[in-house]
Amino acid sequence: MIQAPVAPEAPARGVAVHARALTHSYGRGRHGVAVLRGVDLDIDAGSHVALQGPSGAGKSTLLILLGGLEAPRSGQLSVGEHDLLGVHGRALAAYRRAVVGFVFQHFGLVEVLSARENVMLAMSLSGVPMAARRQRADQALESVGLSHRATHRPSHLSGGERQRVAIARAIVNEPPLLLADEPTGNLDDEAAVRILDLLDVLREERGCTLVVVTHSALVAARADRRLQLRDGVVAP
Amino acid sequence: MSWRDGIALAVRSVTRRPARTVLTILAVALGSGLLVALVAIAQVADTQVIGQLGKGGPTSAIAVLPAAATSAQLGTDSAQGGEVNPITLATVNAIQNAPGVSSIQTVLSQAVFVVPPPLGGSIPSFTGDDPDRRLPRPFADNLVGVDLKSSGQLPITVLAGRLPSAGSTSEVVVTAGYFDHLQLDIKHPETVLGVVIEIGAPQVVDAGGGVVRGRWTRAAITGVVAQNAAGGDLLGAQELASADRAWQLGGVDGNSIGIPLPSSPYASLIVIADSLNDVHQVRAEITTLGFANSAPEHLVASTQRYLHVVDIVLGAIGTIALVIAVLGIANALLAAVRERRREIGILKAIGARDGDILRWFLAEAFVVGGIGGILGTLFGLAAVTITAQVVDSYLVEQGLSNVSLGGVPLLTALIGVVGSLLLSLLAAAWPALRAARLPAREAVGAL
């Protein structure tokens, strides 16, 4: 069942997430490793959830499934109106373009492109007309406070600035679900706080659902809910 | 991602490893350059070799001689003639009406005395040398008269200077035989250009008394040629030879003193067949009419077979070089795929389809192959031009015609550039497919 968004101040554009008996494994047969062993999960639309747990608990794998990077092996997983079980290839790529914005620990910027071009790249994949790309990229960079660094390549930006470019790229297509994998993992404390503030502001402005995978108590403390994964299941 | 976006991204991507990119482009350039150079040289060689067989005229040209054809005529390229069989206007008309005949050029040959400078001597000086003053000795020769408006259809090759103007009676060209007569060096053909000589057509007035009159004409030498239209070291307009011929026919037969009247109205005919394939049929018609004839039909056919083999071998060597070069693109792209696993995953995570990744890597191959192909083609054409200049100077030194590169570059440029692009895309297919099939979870790293 899909629930209505709850954040009262948000424009309610986020999506709810529901998982039931969700499993996933890597490899098959005797060499297969079950990573998720039956996850039950409900995330309200527009909420901010932190996924925590020890290494190997399945946090990143759950993020991969939520982000449509792979289809789950069994169980049920719905994100908004999208049922992701059995979805592959082009359909999964279309889901990623329409629903998901990713923020990675290592930023994931293309080094040979400028900040603006990195943001425009996400739009070129979504088929946004060339004429609109630059304007929307500049707006996204402005919203993360990096208008003055639009022409700089990632190698000329600080870690915090790179992560802000990555956030601009993640939000430029206005996805209803924002997924962040250790977004402050490569930043110092001061830069980390700025990034967390920025994510909070963007979520409130845009009303998107934010799921953050983190080991950091500081990051987790910002979330509305904190979910613990242990041995492939959500701990009660 | 459109192809335009893919190429834009590819252009940026190839700059991240500049040394590798430059080396890959150079390899493709060398490969395509070698292919272009070999193909161009093969084409020039084909043209020149076949052209040499035509001796400056069309390879479908057939020389008809004023001699009766023997039964062995059609089995050989050379003329197999017996007794005299005059070529008349009726002969010309009969051949003209034969199937497969494109055109006919008539050739005159007139016996003349040639007096080289200094001019103003008298006939007695012809019979004796002037060893004290070491002046050139006058000599007897033949003046070949042709229709210079149709010189392109005649077996004439200009080695230096130019042909006489059409219809001119004051200009001639000379062959290497003229240099032999005057003991000049053919390696310096320019030494005779512009020199004015005297040409005397004989008219035997009294054969028994040995009385001969001359019709003297002064003509400037405008060029040096190799010619196979008829025997003679002087070649000029048909009008000049025709006037000299009429002068001689105004006298009596001087066979007893070595100046016989011409036995045939025409010294030879040059018959141009519609194509090489028609040459044998036209020769058969001419043979049936009873005239000895020659054409390099068997030689051209066998030479073309050999040249085709050479073309295949040279083309194969060039193609192998290009294939080896574009394998460098495949290697470079495979390395790029290994290096960019996470980046490929990131692109997929932000929405790229497999086709977008495929397009990105194919576009990189397109950029590298295109730049390499263009550079290689330019390099190849430059190499051919330089080679041609070296060969030219050697051929001219040997008294042969130079080589021409006309018409070759466009074809070879297309072969070089398009071949490089296609092979580059082919070589990139596997790395690009590998990249496209990488799982999107590479974005998150090792799990």
Side-chain angles (χ1 to χ4, degrees), chain B residues 100-149:
Chain B
V101 173
S102 172
S103 63
I104 297 180
Q105 302 299 320
T106 55
V107 180
L108 302 180
S109 180
Q110 175 61 42
V112 291
F113 301 125
V114 179
V115 181
L119 304 181
S122 56
I123 284 294
S125 68
F126 160 69
T127 57
D129 200 355
D130 191 353
D132 294 338
R133 293 164 57 197
R134 296 192 175 180
L135 293 176
R137 186 194 332 189
F139 56 91
D141 209 320
N142 282 315
L143 168 67
V144 179
V146 295
D147 180 4
L148 290 166
K149 290 195 292 292

Side-chain angles (χ1 to χ4, degrees), chain B residues 408-435:
Chain B
V408 171
L410 179 62
L411 176 66
T412 50
L414 281 175
I415 290 173
V417 176
V418 176
S420 300
L421 281 175
L422 290 180
L423 285 175
S424 298
L425 290 176
L426 201 63
W430 182 48
L433 278 173
R434 278 190 64 171

Side-chain angles (χ1 to χ4, degrees), chain A:
Chain A
M1 176 178 288
I2 298 174
Q3 296 179 355
V6 292
E9 69 280 22
R13 292 186 59 256
V15 286
V17 177
H18 300 282
R20 290 289 177 272
L22 186 65
T23 71
H24 198 64
S25 58
Y26 294 108
R28 293 187 182 275
R30 286 191 307 160
H31 301 293
V33 178
V35 183
L36 298 182
R37 301 166 186 269
V39 170
D40 294 322
L41 180 69
D42 291 295
I43 298 174
D44 294 334
S47 63
H48 178 177
V49 173
L51 290 177
Q52 292 186 283
S55 295
K59 305 184 299 295
S60 293
T61 300
L62 184 54
L63 197 75
I64 283 170
L65 298 186
L66 292 176
L69 301 183
E70 285 188 1
R73 288 282 159 83
S74 68
Q76 180 190 345
L77 177 61
S78 63
V79 178
E81 297 175 346
H82 300 270
D83 186 351
L84 296 181
L85 190 68
V87 179
H88 297 279
R90 294 175 69 89
L92 212 50
Y95 162 80
R96 294 195 295 268
R97 287 194 299 275
V99 177
V100 184
F102 267 107
V103 178
F104 300 99
Q105 179 180 357
H106 297 284
F107 320 128
L109 300 177
V110 180
E111 290 296 321
V112 290
L113 300 181
S114 68
R116 178 188 287 130
E117 289 165 339
N118 264 287
V119 179
M120 289 169 69
L121 181 60
M123 287 185 280
S124 76
L125 294 170
S126 298
V128 176
M130 181 69 80
R133 289 182 203 167
R134 183 179 171 123
Q135 184 187 3
R136 282 177 55 180
D138 286 346
Q139 285 172 351
L141 285 171
E142 188 177 354
S143 68
V144 299
L146 273 184
S147 295
H148 63 295
R149 304 287 250 169
T151 58
H152 288 70
R153 289 192 176 188
S155 57
H156 297 147
L157 300 175
S158 68
E161 287 174 328
R162 289 187 209 186
Q163 195 59 296
R164 280 193 275 165
V165 174
I167 292 171
R169 184 181 64 187
I171 63 170
V172 73
N173 286 327
E174 301 185 350
L177 177 61
L178 200 56
L179 302 176
D181 181 22
E182 300 281 9
T184 60
N186 276 349
L187 303 178
D188 58 36
D189 289 346
E190 187 180 346
V193 169
R194 285 184 188 164
I195 290 298
L196 294 173
D197 289 344
L198 176 62
L199 286 172
D200 280 344
V201 168
L202 291 172
R203 186 182 68 86
E204 286 175 8
E205 283 177 357
R206 294 163 185 261
C208 56
T209 305
L210 175 60
V211 178
V212 180
V213 168
T214 183
H215 284 104
S216 164
L218 174 71
V219 175
R222 298 286 190 112
D224 303 332
R225 284 175 66 198
R226 286 169 290 284
L227 298 174
Q228 291 286 336
L229 265 76
R230 285 203 175 83
D231 296 329
V233 295
V234 176

Side-chain angles (χ1 to χ4, degrees), chain B residues 29 46 94-95 101 150 177 180 198 241 282 289 323 332 349 357 396 401 421 423:
Chain B
D46 288 3
I95 294 174
V101 173
S150 306
D180 292 340
E198 287 183 340
V282 174
L289 288 171
V323 167
I357 304 298
V396 170
S401 62
L421 281 175
L423 285 175

